[in-house]
Amino acid sequence: MLTSRLNIWSRIQLLRKCSTISLSQQKHANIEIHDPLQAHALKEQCILVDEQDKPIGAATKADCHRVHPGTGDVKLHRAFSVFLFNSKGEMLVQRRSVHKVRIPFQITFPDTYTNACCSHPLYDIEQERQESNALGIRLAAQRRLNYELGIPTNEIEPDNFNYLTRIHYANTGDGVWGEHEIDYILFLQKDVTLKPNANEVSEVRYLKREEIDEAIAKFSAPLTPWFALILRHRLKQWWDNLHRLKQFEDLKNIQRF
């Protein structure tokens, strides 16, 4: 088990070293990457679930995000969204890299603003299939925060996350690539070290609660659909109660948006 996780972790770290460019370089680069490591990442397996979040199998990242040309359906799979706050209560948002559209394993919603991290636990990594206390989700979130934002793993332990609830949503995107997810909502309040991966993230900033609406109105790119949904339905209430989140935990029900 541990060997499998470490092998995949090593591959991810190697991929980051191979593909990361500086933010300034990214503005001028025309990236068309056909690296075998990235092609392999496209084949990594997400966890397929039914509408009650029961695992029913696995499918590649590409298959999980491909809109069926006949039905318009997208395979339902497990995901997570991390909302990261510093000690002052400011929330981190990132702008997803424009190169997500060209990098094979980042095929949905490039050049959009979103919460700190949105990704998937992998079926390939046995530990990330663990159900108890959402441990698999927490481990996946730790892995992706390190990969996307460069946060050292020793700064974000699995038990640092507040798991609030799950959200079921769908969006057909551009009609070719879309989303259909049971999305685990994780809150984390901690001052962390950031070193964004430019192939994933083109901008990061912290927003104040009282300025959120004004700041978003001035964004020069749209929001990801899941971030827009959570912002509209739940985020402000959760944000207003960062130190009292226990009262909002709903680990039995799935919110349907």
Side-chain angles (χ1 to χ4, degrees):
M1 293 189 302
L2 182 58
T3 300
S4 174
R5 178 173 168 82
L6 289 175
N7 285 343
I8 293 175
W9 182 258
S10 299
R11 188 172 71 243
I12 290 169
Q13 295 302 313
L14 178 58
L15 171 58
R16 183 173 186 178
K17 291 177 182 178
C18 291
S19 63
T20 300
I21 59 174
S22 71
L23 294 182
S24 59
Q25 286 175 312
Q26 179 179 319
K27 295 178 181 178
H28 306 289
N30 181 20
I31 298 179
E32 288 290 343
I33 297 179
H34 302 284
D35 187 283
L37 286 174
Q38 293 187 6
H40 183 84
L42 182 63
K43 299 176 183 178
E44 288 177 341
Q45 303 278 308
C46 294
I47 301 169
L48 296 178
V49 295
D50 64 17
E51 292 197 354
Q52 302 307 315
D53 193 32
K54 301 300 183 186
I56 58 173
T60 66
K61 286 183 180 178
D63 286 343
C64 282
H65 294 90
R66 185 176 288 111
V67 179
H68 190 282
T71 65
D73 293 337
V74 182
K75 294 180 186 295
L76 181 58
H77 56 281
R78 190 173 284 173
F80 63 84
S81 290
V82 177
F83 293 80
L84 172 63
F85 303 83
N86 61 21
S87 59
K88 296 185 288 186
E90 299 167 334
M91 182 180 70
L92 186 141
V93 296
Q94 63 152 286
R95 186 169 181 170
R96 291 156 67 88
S97 171
V98 66
H99 298 307
K100 283 179 176 284
V101 75
R102 299 190 183 96
I103 298 174
F105 58 100
Q106 299 291 356
I107 48 185
T108 56
F109 304 102
D111 197 28
T112 50
Y113 283 96
T114 197
N115 49 291
C117 182
C118 328
S119 192
H120 315 85
L122 294 181
Y123 186 89
D124 310 87
I125 301 176
E126 185 173 353
Q127 285 83 352
E128 293 186 7
R129 286 185 263 146
Q130 295 182 76
E131 302 275 336
S132 178
N133 198 28
L135 179 57
I137 294 288
R138 296 168 188 267
L139 289 169
Q142 180 191 45
R143 171 176 58 82
R144 287 300 300 186
L145 283 167
N146 173 259
Y147 178 70
E148 293 188 23
L149 295 175
I151 303 174
T153 55
N154 63 357
E155 293 185 10
I156 40 170
E157 299 294 338
D159 60 3
N160 294 154
F161 296 102
N162 287 308
Y163 163 38
L164 292 185
T165 190
R166 292 167 291 174
I167 290 172
H168 180 189
Y169 80 97
N171 188 287
T172 54
D174 61 3
V176 178
W177 304 107
E179 297 282 6
H180 189 197
E181 299 180 333
I182 300 288
D183 191 17
Y184 285 64
I185 306 303
L186 303 177
F187 268 45
L188 174 65
Q189 185 171 18
K190 195 170 188 183
D191 293 325
V192 295
T193 304
L194 297 173
K195 187 178 180 182
N197 176 351
N199 274 343
E200 293 283 332
V201 178
S202 63
E203 176 189 341
V204 294
R205 65 171 84 173
Y206 281 98
L207 301 180
K208 295 180 179 179
R209 168 64 180 89
E210 63 271 19
E211 298 174 358
I212 181 66
D213 293 328
E214 180 182 0
I216 286 177
K218 293 179 179 178
F219 282 172
S220 57
L223 305 180
T224 58
W226 58 88
F227 184 42
L229 278 171
I230 296 166
L231 174 63
R232 182 162 66 246
H233 291 283
R234 298 285 188 275
L235 178 57
K236 292 177 182 179
Q237 184 181 32
W238 291 336
W239 196 346
D240 287 337
N241 293 275
L242 276 181
H243 301 295
R244 299 180 295 275
L245 287 173
K246 190 74 176 177
Q247 64 182 308
F248 298 102
E249 289 182 2
D250 184 359
L251 311 186
K252 293 184 178 180
N253 299 306
I254 300 173
Q255 313 298 314
R256 312 287 177 179
F257 292 162

